Amino acid sequence: MSPLPTIQLFFCPLDINLLDEKTVSTVRSWLSDAEINKVDRFIQQAAQQQGLMVRGYLRSVLSSFANIEPDDWQFEYGEKGKPRLSAVQYKQTGLQFNLSHSGNWLLIGVIHSKEDASIPIQLGVDIERRRESTNIHSILHHYFSKPEEAALLALPESQQRERFFDLWALKESYIKAKGLGLALSLKSFAFDLSAPSLANLTLDDQLLPIQHDISLSLLKPTDVDELEQTNDVESCYEVSPLWQCCLGKLNNSYRFAVSVGEFAFGEKPLTLQLKAKKISWHEQIKMFIKTN
């Protein structure tokens, strides 16, 4: 079994106050007409500005891995909109990525398969901002699996909101890795946070707490109709050996999750190897201004 490549996580601030005329014009010059149209379709100016920053960060981060200029990257999209490099550029670079943004943070996850780019890896990342205004219990009942709901409600009330956003980040990362969007029922899989492995992830001068080896169970197809009727809900799910998932905290307001699946021809991958870096907007974009 080939070792799972290191997943590199880039934490990028989406503070629109960082924008200036030079970086805005530079990034817009990198984008395709379709991307510019998507950005300009946002009604609110702040959303347009953040949309531009997301694309600028992504293109410049990818260019740090390969001898390809930010304006030369070409993207394709899955049936439900999951972005990826064009087949030609993926074969050329071995790069796979996923991205997520919430509030004032963008998270980009990159895998660089240097030795064998013929084996695609399902990668999903998510970053979530904790919000006091979210009605967690109505969402919990409608979108979380019964094992997840039961485990959350068994916690003291003071811990339930934290667990909700932890699970939400994990579930989003798995859905994004699968690339199926909401065509994949959020009740068709369940995360168990009762016995993770604990570690720290270095981010500049910070140590971020990480929970590794989080158990993921998938709903057995034959049990879909029985789920609402049975009292033994847990027997309807089966632990998947094909996925590795982890959860971390950037700070008290933001948590992030990474899911990687079906790697190495069905053998269970090793514990995820992560590296993290915080990106400066001006330093990142201005590295490429002189070439445009």
Side-chain angles (χ1 to χ4, degrees):
M1 180 180 72
S2 301
L4 183 67
T6 297
I7 300 167
Q8 302 199 46
L9 301 177
F10 298 88
F11 292 89
C12 312
L14 292 177
D15 181 358
I16 61 176
N17 293 315
L18 297 173
L19 294 173
D20 57 40
E21 184 177 348
K22 186 63 175 177
T23 56
V24 168
S25 63
T26 296
V27 172
R28 286 185 71 90
S29 75
W30 294 347
L31 305 188
S32 66
D33 290 342
E35 287 179 295
I36 289 175
N37 289 337
K38 285 182 180 179
V39 169
D40 290 346
R41 276 203 300 268
F42 288 113
I43 296 174
Q44 295 183 343
Q45 184 179 17
Q48 291 182 10
Q49 293 170 320
Q50 285 196 334
L52 189 72
M53 294 182 80
V54 167
R55 288 160 175 81
Y57 277 126
L58 175 61
R59 285 176 173 269
S60 60
V61 164
L62 291 174
S63 288
S64 69
F65 287 90
N67 189 26
I68 296 176
E69 292 297 323
D71 59 339
D72 286 332
W73 290 107
Q74 298 175 7
F75 301 104
E76 297 176 351
Y77 298 88
E79 183 179 347
K80 299 299 180 180
K82 183 179 181 180
R84 60 177 181 263
L85 290 182
S86 69
V88 171
Q89 288 191 335
Y90 171 59
K91 185 176 180 180
Q92 177 184 352
T93 65
L95 291 174
Q96 297 179 76
F97 70 91
N98 197 238
L99 68 165
S100 170
H101 58 91
S102 178
N104 290 324
W105 284 99
L106 165 70
L107 174 60
I108 302 172
V110 179
I111 293 179
H112 193 189
S113 305
K114 297 179 182 179
E115 296 181 0
D116 188 356
S118 66
I119 305 173
I121 300 170
Q122 295 190 67
L123 168 66
V125 302
D126 189 64
I127 188 165
E128 290 292 334
R129 179 180 57 179
R130 187 185 190 277
R131 294 177 292 276
E132 293 295 334
S133 60
T134 301
N135 185 341
I136 66 170
H137 291 95
S138 63
I139 297 174
L140 181 70
H141 179 70
H142 285 98
Y143 296 108
F144 282 42
S145 67
K146 287 193 173 183
E148 291 169 335
E149 182 179 9
L152 184 149
L153 293 176
L155 294 173
E157 186 175 352
S158 60
Q159 299 177 23
Q160 291 180 8
R161 183 168 295 272
E162 287 295 312
R163 175 60 59 86
F164 172 88
F165 284 106
D166 287 347
L167 286 169
W168 192 258
L170 283 164
K171 292 174 84 68
E172 285 281 352
S173 72
Y174 174 70
I175 284 179
K176 295 180 72 178
K178 295 291 289 182
L180 298 176
L182 293 180
L184 179 64
S185 170
L186 290 170
K187 292 190 174 186
S188 67
F189 57 97
F191 285 100
D192 181 358
L193 285 164
S194 62
S197 302
L198 303 180
N200 289 312
L201 176 65
T202 301
L203 176 65
D204 297 340
D205 57 350
Q206 293 179 264
L207 286 179
L208 307 182
I210 295 287
Q211 299 179 55
H212 275 290
D213 305 322
I214 296 171
S215 176
L216 170 65
S217 297
L218 306 181
L219 184 64
K220 301 174 186 176
T222 55
D223 291 329
V224 173
D225 294 334
E226 303 173 19
L227 185 61
E228 297 298 327
Q229 303 172 9
T230 182
N231 292 322
D232 186 14
V233 175
E234 291 189 3
S235 67
C236 297
Y237 291 83
E238 186 173 40
V239 174
S240 172
L242 306 180
W243 287 83
Q244 283 288 317
C245 306
C246 68
L247 175 72
K249 276 196 171 182
L250 178 62
N251 52 42
N252 289 334
S253 298
Y254 288 87
R255 72 257 297 124
F256 60 93
V258 180
S259 290
V260 177
E262 300 185 15
F263 174 72
F265 304 103
E267 295 184 63
K268 184 175 180 178
L270 303 174
T271 296
L272 297 182
Q273 300 299 311
L274 305 175
K275 288 185 178 180
K277 182 179 181 180
K278 190 178 294 183
I279 299 295
S280 162
W281 170 256
H282 285 289
E283 291 179 7
Q284 187 69 18
I285 304 305
K286 288 183 178 179
M287 282 193 301
F288 299 97
I289 286 181
K290 63 181 181 296
T291 65
N292 288 276

